[in-house]
Amino acid sequence: MRELAHKLLACLVLAALVGCTGSASSAQGNDTQVAPENGHLQVLSLDFSGTRAFDLLKRQVALGPRVPDSNQHAQCRELIADELAPYCTGISEQIFKRTVNGREYTFRNVIAYIHPNAQKLIVLAAHYDTRPFADRDKPENYSTPIPGANDGASGVAVLLELARVLHGRLPDDVGILFLFTDGEDTGLTASQMFCGAEYFASHMSYELKRRIEFGILLDMIGDTSLNIKPEKHSETVASGIYDALLELQGMLELSGFTDAGQYNVLDDHIAFIEQGVRMYDIIDFEYAYWHTVEDTVDHCSPDSLQTVGLCVANLVLNYASGRFSL
Ligand SMILES: [Zn+2]
């Protein structure tokens, strides 16, 4: 009922702006204010491009599996840094060693900022490494690294496009900390996964932690049949984020976020929650090709990247303008 009302209102307002000939996702332009609806949230006409994000996904997959300590992994870091360079400052690597599966790895988180000195920071995170084995595939494929189109490349692709879209649209006192975590998927068991997030979260200075308002983690958000649900651990600290994304999705006439059921996943967000940071894991955990060699480009879609990217961009800008708070 509430969603229907949102759609009708959004269509009426969009009709004035873009003729309501299609979804808001096709609307181009700058940060024109479109619709002060639903009490407080507002959708902006943003040029977030699912197509551009999908190209960034394909470019990562074309490198080959991005297993830590490999050349492809290093090339992915270069791709990330090159794409961020026009829009971000303070691009750096956080390097640390950790033994996983009996082997010592050198892991490297990639960090970048919009407005690094802002008093209020939002963390936008995704892992860029890919799993070194396809342990949910047929036994003959167990030792084959996964392509990581959805599990790895999708979140990174949306973050890179968000940097382009959000750059120049934030007030000076609101910044973004982009975090591309490493070693999320290297371990066989949960206790050996999430290495980069755990390292970053446990090494945050008090001063940095104090400035972080909340965070959003993107993981496996490129599935052609997008089915994101509220996530249990995230809900305990930041349920307002998901409610706002659902509301914005309705206003934008998009689909992919549902409020039916709940996921309960261990992921990079847990390390932040343990440090008192309100971090929400946006994930579609019903991906049939999870940790298989079939986690490929053809099982992902530009539309899914568009939905997530546009909703998250609008959430961030609603926060920046004081229309959303936690
Ligand atoms: Zn994974």
Side-chain angles (χ1 to χ4, degrees), residues 78-91 112-113 160 163 167:
E78 280 175 32
L79 184 157
I80 290 169
D82 288 349
E83 289 298 318
L84 292 174
Y87 315 116
C88 293
T89 57
I91 302 170
Y113 289 89
L160 295 177
H167 163 74

Side-chain angles (χ1 to χ4, degrees), residues 41-302:
L41 293 181
Q42 185 174 58
V43 294
L44 304 175
S45 174
L46 302 171
D47 64 347
F48 186 98
S49 167
T51 304
R52 196 180 279 118
F54 196 64
D55 182 60
L56 289 162
L57 179 154
K58 287 193 284 189
R59 285 171 55 197
Q60 291 173 75
V61 176
L63 296 173
R66 281 82 67 210
V67 174
D69 278 344
S70 68
N71 288 336
Q72 295 86 349
H73 184 261
Q75 289 163 5
C76 188
R77 262 194 327 275
E78 280 175 32
L79 184 157
I80 290 169
D82 288 349
E83 289 298 318
L84 292 174
Y87 315 116
C88 293
T89 57
I91 302 170
S92 63
E93 293 183 4
Q94 184 183 43
I95 304 171
F96 63 99
K97 293 182 187 296
R98 184 169 159 186
T99 298
V100 175
N101 310 327
R103 174 184 158 184
E104 185 181 73
Y105 286 90
T106 301
F107 292 117
R108 297 162 192 266
N109 292 328
V110 179
I111 299 161
Y113 289 89
I114 296 173
H115 298 167
N117 299 317
Q119 280 308 301
K120 293 176 275 190
L121 287 174
I122 299 168
V123 177
L124 297 179
H127 74 92
Y128 74 94
D129 66 301
T130 55
R131 195 157 181 79
F133 25 73
D135 49 327
R136 292 181 62 87
D137 209 313
K138 298 189 289 274
E140 58 264 40
N141 290 335
Y142 278 3
S143 58
T144 304
I146 68 165
N150 193 21
D151 194 358
S154 68
V156 171
V158 169
L159 289 195
L160 295 177
E161 177 64 354
L162 281 171
R164 191 187 67 79
V165 170
L166 294 174
H167 163 74
R169 290 195 165 97
L170 292 167
D172 289 344
D173 65 334
V174 177
I176 306 289
L177 193 175
F178 288 103
L179 175 63
F180 300 83
T181 63
D182 197 5
E184 190 267 1
D185 237 347
T186 315
L188 268 169
T189 59
S191 65
Q192 295 203 312
M193 295 173 72
F194 324 118
C195 299
E198 287 177 2
Y199 190 87
F200 183 90
S202 62
H203 287 80
M204 286 185 293
S205 66
Y206 172 78
E207 188 274 335
L208 176 62
K209 212 188 301 187
R210 183 184 57 76
R211 289 192 292 145
I212 297 174
E213 291 288 311
F214 63 89
I216 294 177
L217 172 67
L218 303 179
D219 195 4
M220 299 205 291
I221 41 84
D223 188 347
T224 45
S225 60
L226 192 61
N227 194 20
I228 297 166
K229 296 179 183 179
E231 193 284 317
K232 180 183 171 184
H233 306 283
S234 313
E235 284 289 309
T236 62
V237 294
S239 61
I241 289 177
Y242 201 85
D243 291 342
L245 289 169
L246 273 176
E247 192 166 329
L248 289 164
Q249 172 184 253
M251 296 165 77
L252 289 159
E253 296 193 291
L254 298 170
S255 61
F257 292 89
T258 76
D259 53 5
Q262 200 175 60
Y263 293 129
N264 178 3
V265 296
L266 298 178
D267 205 345
D268 277 348
H269 63 313
I270 301 293
F272 286 86
I273 292 173
E274 287 174 348
Q275 292 293 326
V277 173
R278 297 175 291 184
M279 187 80 150
Y280 207 105
D281 189 9
I282 300 299
I283 187 166
D284 173 356
F285 206 48
E286 293 179 350
Y287 183 52
Y289 311 102
W290 179 51
H291 291 180
T292 75
V293 297
E294 291 184 79
D295 181 3
T296 48
V297 168
D298 57 316
H299 293 129
C300 298
S301 121

